[in-house]
Amino acid sequence: MGHDDLPTLELAFPGPERDRGVAAILNGQKTALTGLVEIYEHTGEAVPTTGQRFSVLDSEGRPAVTIELVDVRVVPMKEIDDDFARAEGRGYSDVAQWRAAHEEFFRSNGVSEFLGRTPVIDDDTLVVAERFRVVEPDDRDGR
């Protein structure tokens, strides 16, 4: 299965934030990502599941890397820990930095415009906490 056969995943919005995220995946710093459950509900998309593979797109909409989800949990924001925050590969030293950055992004104009309102972000806000590994598109046995 090649890049073109996989569902796509876009980090943040096109531009510097996405480019940094893709680079962090490619250099091995980023092995986790967080999504807002409310966005999945708004789009009618199912929450991803362990074992799913995605073609991660760059800011130009081109496939940059293939990932496979190795753990997917829907949890309130208060359950994210320092280890997960660091695995996001954005240079967060702890969950407080992760939380501040995600609150800012989830309340951003782009997310608010997409949802048609600014979401409420607090300890009980549900997020999709995903851990992944990089794979080649034809890597079927997990190596």
Side-chain angles (χ1 to χ4, degrees):
M1 186 181 312
H3 283 294
D4 295 337
D5 302 324
L6 294 172
T8 59
L9 178 74
E10 298 175 274
L11 304 175
F13 296 106
E17 187 70 18
R18 180 176 296 169
D19 295 339
R20 281 190 295 274
V22 169
I25 291 172
L26 291 170
N27 70 25
Q29 291 178 320
K30 183 172 184 64
T31 59
L33 51 96
T34 308
L36 187 62
V37 168
E38 187 172 346
I39 291 174
Y40 288 96
E41 293 171 345
H42 181 75
T43 62
E45 290 182 39
V47 170
T49 58
T50 300
Q52 270 189 285
R53 291 184 177 192
F54 292 90
S55 178
V56 180
L57 303 182
D58 65 16
S59 287
E60 304 300 317
R62 296 180 304 238
V65 62
T66 298
I67 63 168
E68 179 179 37
L69 302 180
V70 296
D71 184 53
V72 179
R73 299 177 300 131
V74 174
V75 297
M77 285 188 85
K78 65 186 172 194
E79 290 187 20
I80 299 297
D81 60 18
D82 289 345
D83 181 59
F84 187 88
R86 286 189 288 273
E88 283 255 357
R90 302 289 189 148
Y92 309 131
S93 61
D94 60 25
V95 73
Q97 289 181 344
W98 171 92
R99 175 81 179 248
H102 282 77
E103 285 185 14
E104 180 180 341
F105 178 75
F106 292 153
R107 291 183 179 130
S108 70
N109 288 339
V111 171
S112 295
E113 287 175 20
F114 179 76
L115 292 174
R117 65 181 198 78
T118 301
V120 173
I121 306 298
D122 60 24
D123 279 351
D124 296 319
T125 299
L126 293 177
V127 295
V128 183
E130 305 169 49
R131 290 188 181 260
F132 61 85
R133 67 184 188 96
V134 172
V135 296
E136 293 300 318
D138 60 356
D139 177 12
R140 299 201 197 306
D141 65 2
R143 286 186 227 152

